[in-house]
Amino acid sequence: MPITPSEQIWMNGRMVPWDEARIHVLTHTLHYGNGVFEGIRAYETSEGPAVFRLTPHIERLFRSAKIFMLDIPYSVDDLIGATKETVRVNGLPSCYIRPLVYLGYGEMGLNPLPCDVDVSIAVWPWGAYLGDEGIRNGVRMKISSWQRHDPNAMPPAAKGTGMYINSQMAKVEAVKSGYDEAILLSPQGYVSECTGENLFIVRDGVILTPPISAGALEGITQDAVMTIARDLGYQVRFDNILRSDLYVAEEAFLTGTAAEVVPIRSVDDRELGEPGPMTRAIQEVFFRAVRGEEDRYKEWNEVVA
Ligand code: PPE
């Protein structure tokens, strides 16, 4: 998806004009893929732009960094402040936010420990990741022939830049085959997640989502949706899901910061039909919550002003 530039990018403590936010071609992360990032959204609310669950996102960034032993030279509070500042100076009512922690210029070779750890935060306007039509009527999914990472090869709990080669292989396969998005299975054969989203199904009226042990990222939207679902009176739990469970699900949907909450129409050409009532109810509350229209979830709206 093309980027619409904004004005300023936060780089290592200072604001840099968009076009000048450049790095050297010998930047370590560019070669070996060891970096961590976040994807966050700010939404327009009656109190101005509010970042949806900013604190848990920055905390997850630090957990990802800890897994790879990247020593971020800032505190959680520093990066919360820097993110709000970046949203503020760019003057966008709503935007996507991309904090990135990467190994900079100055060292080559595989040992990352001597490298400088650099941090940037960029924001830009980003529309519906899987399309407005996807949010309304659902997306068509394909089970990938690529597996999710084995946790002893690459740790799925870390949102690492290089981890996403796996997602890209699955995405390309799905798109080239005429589907919207891919679902990856774990090395043990359980449903894990999508290329950049967590997945939910409804089975016998109960909402299920794969556990982290099936190779899923600990999604912040997933967590919000589990809370919303419980508050709507639904039963929801982590459970292992088989490929065939997807084919016969009563409803299914995916969640992510970029994607938001998107119904699943079909999996491997097994039709699930129109988005179901539980999916619709959750979508409705979610889109109200991100805009600060649900009092009970007010603490999720971290106001920028
Ligand atoms: N699984 C993966 C692999 C993943 O990348 C994401 C977010 C999720 C689950 C959902 O997590 P959360 O955003 O906390 O609910 N993917 C980010 C990157 C997407 C991109 O194309 O880049 C995102 O949604 O921002």
Side-chain angles (χ1 to χ4, degrees):
M1 296 167 83
I3 295 181
T4 308
S6 61
E7 284 172 19
Q8 307 271 334
I9 294 179
W10 189 94
M11 287 182 90
N12 295 323
R14 58 189 196 94
M15 290 296 169
V16 177
W18 180 278
D19 287 332
E20 289 166 31
R22 299 212 171 90
I23 53 157
H24 197 278
V25 73
L26 292 181
T27 297
H28 198 276
T29 296
L30 204 52
H31 295 251
Y32 306 120
N34 189 0
V36 296
F37 68 101
E38 271 304 319
I40 317 174
R41 273 187 192 272
Y43 291 89
E44 198 167 1
T45 74
S46 59
E47 294 164 82
V51 184
F52 188 67
R53 309 195 75 189
L54 172 60
T55 303
H57 276 284
I58 298 297
E59 288 171 348
R60 188 173 66 187
L61 183 73
F62 277 77
R63 289 200 299 277
S64 297
K66 184 175 185 184
I67 291 172
F68 291 145
M69 296 184 94
L70 302 173
D71 195 5
I72 300 178
Y74 301 97
S75 67
V76 169
D77 282 347
D78 289 342
L79 295 190
I80 289 173
T83 302
K84 289 185 175 177
E85 176 71 5
T86 312
V87 174
R88 203 161 34 228
V89 300
N90 282 287
L92 298 167
S94 64
C95 57
Y96 186 77
I97 304 166
R98 171 54 55 79
L100 173 68
V101 173
Y102 61 101
L103 298 172
Y105 167 84
E107 292 280 337
M108 269 291 145
L110 284 176
N111 182 5
L113 298 176
C115 297
D116 285 343
V117 176
D118 290 330
V119 182
S120 63
I121 305 169
V123 306
W124 65 90
W126 227 18
Y129 188 68
L130 295 171
D132 292 320
E133 163 70 16
I135 288 187
R136 255 193 316 272
N137 295 321
V139 288
R140 298 179 59 244
M141 310 290 289
K142 181 189 190 317
I143 310 260
S144 186
S145 69
W146 295 98
Q147 284 178 359
R148 198 75 187 127
H149 299 291
D150 181 301
N152 289 316
M154 292 280 255
K159 200 165 166 57
T161 57
M163 312 279 297
Y164 281 81
I165 296 172
N166 175 250
S167 286
Q168 290 177 64
M169 301 277 264
K171 185 81 189 184
V172 167
E173 181 186 70
V175 170
K176 287 256 179 206
S177 312
Y179 297 84
D180 299 308
E181 176 54 326
I183 296 169
L184 292 109
L185 306 181
S186 72
Q188 292 71 35
Y190 294 109
V191 174
S192 176
E193 60 176 347
C194 314
T195 67
E197 305 90 7
N198 292 106
L199 177 142
F200 288 81
I201 64 168
V202 180
R203 193 75 208 267
D204 296 327
V206 178
I207 302 175
L208 308 175
T209 189
I212 294 143
S213 56
L217 184 72
E218 212 170 343
I220 290 161
T221 319
Q222 177 190 48
D223 176 74
V225 157
M226 290 177 91
T227 301
I228 289 169
R230 281 195 191 103
D231 290 344
L232 282 167
Y234 302 141
Q235 277 186 65
V236 47
R237 63 167 196 266
F238 289 104
D239 207 346
N240 279 321
I241 295 174
L242 295 169
R243 177 178 191 149
S244 53
D245 293 329
L246 298 174
Y247 297 162
V248 297
E250 289 139 32
E251 298 185 29
F253 57 91
L254 51 85
T255 65
T257 298
E260 302 173 300
V261 180
V262 179
I264 294 174
R265 266 204 91 82
S266 67
V267 180
D268 288 345
D269 300 310
R270 276 74 166 183
E271 296 297 327
L272 305 187
E274 294 288 310
M278 293 166 85
T279 305
R280 283 282 184 240
I282 289 166
Q283 269 189 315
E284 198 183 313
V285 177
F286 174 80
F287 284 111
R288 286 174 52 78
V290 295
R291 298 193 169 94
E293 293 163 9
E294 288 281 339
D295 283 343
R296 71 198 308 179
Y297 308 129
K298 270 284 186 201
E299 86 268 12
W300 289 347
N301 311 114
E302 301 190 33
V303 175
V304 157

